[in-house]
């Protein structure tokens, strides 16, 4: 799956890594629902760090379409809330 980290570029994330990312996405969703800014920030950073860890960066000139777009690390809780779909940021 091609994932775009806003402001950072694209990464290729293997299908077998998606379940771990979904667990982090669930934590992020819970933090957003509770409105807890500290927990939200921690959950967002954990999700983005994990994507960076498991993803393989694509060349900057790659034209591959992104299947998933994740917010930047400094995104506001309301920005991320508006990006959430029925299945969070990362579809199951």
């Amino acid at each position: 799956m091609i994932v775009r980290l806003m402001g950072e570029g694209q990464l290729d994330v293997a299908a077998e890594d998606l379940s771990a990312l979904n667990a982090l996405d669930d934590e992020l969703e819970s933090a957003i629902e509770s409105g807890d800014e500290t927990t939200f920030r921690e959950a967002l950073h954990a999700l983005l760090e994990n994507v960076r860890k498991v993803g393989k960066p694509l060349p900057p000139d790659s034209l591959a379409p992104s299947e998933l777009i994740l917010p930047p690390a400094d995104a506001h809780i309301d920005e991320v809330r508006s990006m959430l779909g029925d299945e969070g940021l990362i579809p199951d």
Side-chain angles (χ1 to χ4, degrees):
M1 171 180 277
I2 305 299
V3 178
R4 173 170 297 284
L5 297 179
M6 292 175 70
E8 295 184 41
Q10 292 179 302
L11 298 111
D12 188 6
V13 175
E16 59 264 16
D17 292 316
L18 291 178
S19 63
L21 295 178
N22 271 314
L24 293 169
D25 186 37
D26 291 344
E27 291 175 22
L28 179 62
E29 251 189 297
S30 293
I32 290 170
E33 288 171 8
S34 74
D36 183 335
E37 182 74 33
T38 301
T39 304
F40 159 75
R41 188 74 38 216
E42 291 169 358
L44 177 59
H45 284 256
L47 174 62
L48 296 176
E49 280 301 316
N50 206 304
V51 169
R52 289 183 198 107
K53 179 180 162 188
V54 301
K56 294 177 180 53
L58 296 181
D61 60 350
S62 172
L63 298 176
S66 299
E67 298 168 77
L68 184 61
I69 299 174
L70 296 179
D74 63 350
H76 187 272
I77 193 169
D78 291 331
E79 286 178 85
V80 179
R81 182 180 289 122
S82 70
M83 294 177 72
L84 290 177
D86 292 339
E87 299 180 326
L89 291 173
I90 300 174
D92 293 331

